[in-house]
Amino acid sequence: MVSCIAMTACSSGETERAMPRLLIDDHEAEIFASAETWTLVTTDPVPPNAGEVPEDNLQGYRVLGRAELSDPVAKRELVESLNSGIRANDDMVAACFDPRHALRAETATGSAELLICFECLQIYVYRDGKERTETVLTSKLPAATFDRIFEAHGLTIAPRW
């Protein structure tokens, strides 16, 4: 009977292992780590004309859809895939910035947003909805995982060119 209890404790520990931290600025990484729920956001990658800000927008880009994400397994998949993409970037970057994916987290201490373009390999990191704190380079590796999880939550991703 004792060995059965020990095996149960070991197996539950494996499925509930600690969430890896995003490889971004510590302040924003902490917000993502401590937020119970994240918001998945899909955006229209075409920026609006100068002076025209859509009513529902994220950093000026028209929002196509939003979905709440509280599933720790899906969150871990997103973090692990994004971290793998960040590690895999070899200083490659393009000039387009046509974001189709975004993650948003909010806690009592503030909010953080990641606006992501897997075409030009850039992630813009925002604090409290307005201040861009850094640009992080990634690779295309996370795109398939992001597409799968976003689509599983009913979101449509804007077509790529």
Side-chain angles (χ1 to χ4, degrees):
M1 183 158 194
V2 172
S3 64
C4 187
I5 293 170
M7 285 176 44
T8 303
C10 290
S11 65
S12 69
E14 287 178 28
T15 57
E16 295 179 15
R17 68 184 189 268
M19 173 77 75
R21 285 182 72 84
L22 279 164
L23 299 176
I24 59 174
D25 181 71
D26 284 342
H27 180 79
E28 286 77 18
E30 180 56 34
I31 290 172
F32 275 99
S34 59
E36 287 186 29
T37 303
W38 296 356
T39 304
L40 307 176
V41 183
T42 53
T43 58
D44 181 347
V46 178
N49 294 326
E52 296 177 18
V53 178
E55 186 174 326
D56 189 9
N57 76 85
L58 184 72
Q59 302 304 330
Y61 290 87
R62 185 170 63 92
V63 169
L64 301 177
R66 296 176 194 267
E68 297 299 307
L69 176 67
S70 57
D71 175 20
V73 174
K75 284 180 173 182
R76 184 178 300 111
E77 274 189 88
L78 290 172
V79 170
E80 288 174 349
S81 70
L82 201 56
N83 285 349
S84 293
I86 292 168
R87 283 188 205 100
N89 183 281
D90 55 359
D91 292 329
M92 290 286 292
V93 64
C96 67
F97 202 71
D98 298 329
R100 289 172 171 76
H101 303 82
L103 296 174
R104 185 171 198 289
E106 191 167 346
T107 67
T109 62
S111 66
E113 298 168 350
L114 305 180
L115 195 56
I116 306 164
C117 177
F118 289 117
E119 290 178 28
C120 71
L121 313 177
Q122 295 183 79
I123 304 166
Y124 288 0
V125 182
Y126 293 89
R127 179 179 298 170
D128 298 327
K130 50 191 164 231
E131 180 188 356
R132 186 165 98 194
T133 58
E134 69 178 323
T135 300
V136 178
L137 300 182
T138 185
S139 71
K140 293 179 188 275
L141 293 174
T145 300
F146 272 67
D147 286 353
R148 178 178 50 78
I149 291 173
F150 278 51
E151 289 170 352
H153 284 79
L155 297 173
T156 300
I157 291 132
R160 291 177 175 89
W161 313 119

